[in-house]
Amino acid sequence: MTESNWFLLKALFLGLIEGLTEFIPVSSTAHLLIIGDWINFSSSDDKVFEVVIQFGSILAVIWIFRARIWQLLSGTLKGERSEVLFMRNLLIAFLPAAVIGAVMIKYIKALFHSPAVFVFTLVAGGLIMLWVERKPQYAKELPGGQDAHRRPAPPDDSVASQKATARSLEEITWKQALVVGFAQCLAMVPGTSRSGATIISGMIAGIQRKTATEFSFFLAMPTMLAATVYDLYRNSAALNDTQLAAIGVGFAAAFISALLVVRAVLRFVSRRTYRPFAWYRIALGAVVFVWLAMR
């Protein structure tokens, strides 16, 4: 196998990893950077590959929710109040990351080369998730003891569902959208997890767990589209043919693998807690710490 083919095979593998991890709160970016280092994947200095292929996963969400997206766009053009408000909330949530990302891009990309940052963000994010799940107003505790959260249950049985002020996308307020938008800015730091930051912040702001997840999915569309276009615009001239081919392969792999997991993620979060993901983050952070210590 030639070196070029081996490089594309690694890109395919990382694309699959991206699609599988984009929509669960474990940080797909951290996985791409860490595993890419482990398999000696030589990406560009600006990590364009790791950013652009994430839109492959988002494209899968666009396909799955295409009917709802059409309803949103057509309803907004027709002036339907619920759709106009939903579009307004998406714009409000998108703007903080757009502005801060454009201003801080150089400093954000520098963090992509600091694996020690991943250790802190992975562990800290896991601890925050555990803390949120332990709070009565956010927990999805069911009758039957501490292990009851492992058993399936109807979504409305959770305390969080009963106390949430926004149980559908149309009920989200502009203040809740703004909270989610600023939380998304935290996800610019590798290892934080965009989905984790937006979903958890949405729950804290009073959005029902499943609705917060759906809003996070919709918010990812303009956010990652903007990041992809901006990164390609800034760095396309510096990319060679092999790197562009790798981006194409990784993009396609991310799209296919994300298609397989998006609906499963929605089913999971509507019936179970985020605790398994929290413990996974902490364990991965520990593994990366040991790896760094042994290098």
Side-chain angles (χ1 to χ4, degrees):
M1 181 179 294
T2 66
E3 184 176 345
S4 177
N5 288 339
W6 183 239
F7 182 72
L8 293 179
L9 186 61
K10 291 179 181 178
L12 174 66
F13 175 66
L14 290 174
L16 294 174
I17 295 295
E18 157 58 29
L20 294 174
T21 57
E22 176 64 34
F23 301 107
I24 56 178
V26 297
S27 180
S28 62
T29 302
H31 280 73
L32 291 177
L33 295 172
I34 293 168
I35 296 175
D37 199 334
W38 287 348
I39 65 175
N40 195 29
F41 180 77
S42 301
S43 179
S44 63
D45 290 339
D46 282 325
K47 302 298 181 183
V48 180
F49 172 87
E50 288 79 359
V51 173
V52 172
I53 69 166
Q54 293 183 50
F55 191 66
S57 300
I58 306 306
L59 198 61
V61 172
I62 293 175
W63 174 255
I64 290 173
F65 287 98
R66 60 191 182 280
R68 182 64 184 89
I69 293 171
W70 175 252
Q71 177 185 336
L72 172 63
L73 295 175
S74 60
T76 300
L77 292 175
K78 294 175 182 177
E80 296 177 9
R81 178 174 171 76
S82 61
E83 303 303 331
V84 170
L85 291 178
F86 183 22
M87 182 67 79
R88 178 205 66 182
N89 289 340
L90 283 175
L91 180 61
I92 289 173
F94 166 71
L95 284 177
V99 174
I100 294 175
V103 173
M104 303 291 291
I105 184 66
K106 183 184 297 185
Y107 304 100
I108 294 167
K109 283 297 185 74
L111 296 176
F112 280 46
H113 299 276
S114 304
V117 173
F118 310 157
V119 175
F120 175 79
T121 52
L122 284 169
V123 174
L127 292 175
I128 291 172
M129 289 168 63
L130 289 175
W131 174 77
V132 169
E133 291 290 5
R134 287 179 63 87
K135 302 292 285 185
Q137 64 267 42
Y138 311 125
K140 185 182 279 293
E141 291 292 343
L142 305 173
Q146 295 182 348
D147 294 332
H149 69 278
R150 298 176 183 173
R151 301 197 306 269
D156 292 336
D157 281 357
S158 70
V159 177
S161 292
Q162 296 168 10
K163 293 192 175 184
T165 59
R167 301 191 181 195
S168 68
L169 293 171
E170 294 76 15
E171 294 177 356
I172 296 174
T173 67
W174 71 266
K175 293 180 180 179
Q176 291 171 326
L178 190 60
V179 169
V180 174
F182 277 109
Q184 181 171 238
C185 296
L186 298 175
M188 295 178 187
V189 180
T192 302
S193 173
R194 194 205 63 81
S195 61
T198 52
I199 294 169
I200 295 298
S201 65
M203 290 169 57
I204 293 174
I207 305 175
Q208 186 186 48
R209 181 185 299 260
K210 187 172 183 293
T211 301
T213 304
E214 292 175 344
F215 188 71
S216 174
F217 284 7
F218 276 92
L219 180 58
M221 299 175 196
T223 302
M224 293 312 304
L225 175 60
T228 297
V229 172
Y230 185 66
D231 242 8
L232 286 176
Y233 171 75
R234 289 179 68 248
N235 301 289
S236 58
L239 298 173
N240 58 41
D241 291 343
T242 302
Q243 289 171 327
L244 288 172
I247 289 174
V249 169
F251 188 97
F255 172 77
I256 294 171
S257 58
L259 272 180
L260 301 177
V261 302
V262 169
R263 294 192 186 280
V265 170
L266 280 173
R267 287 195 300 269
F268 183 93
V269 300
S270 68
R271 303 174 70 86
R272 298 175 184 271
T273 75
Y274 286 116
R275 288 174 188 164
F277 300 126
W279 286 115
Y280 172 82
R281 290 177 63 99
I282 294 171
L284 180 59
V287 170
V288 175
F289 176 79
V290 172
W291 168 62
L292 290 175
M294 296 177 63
R295 281 209 301 183

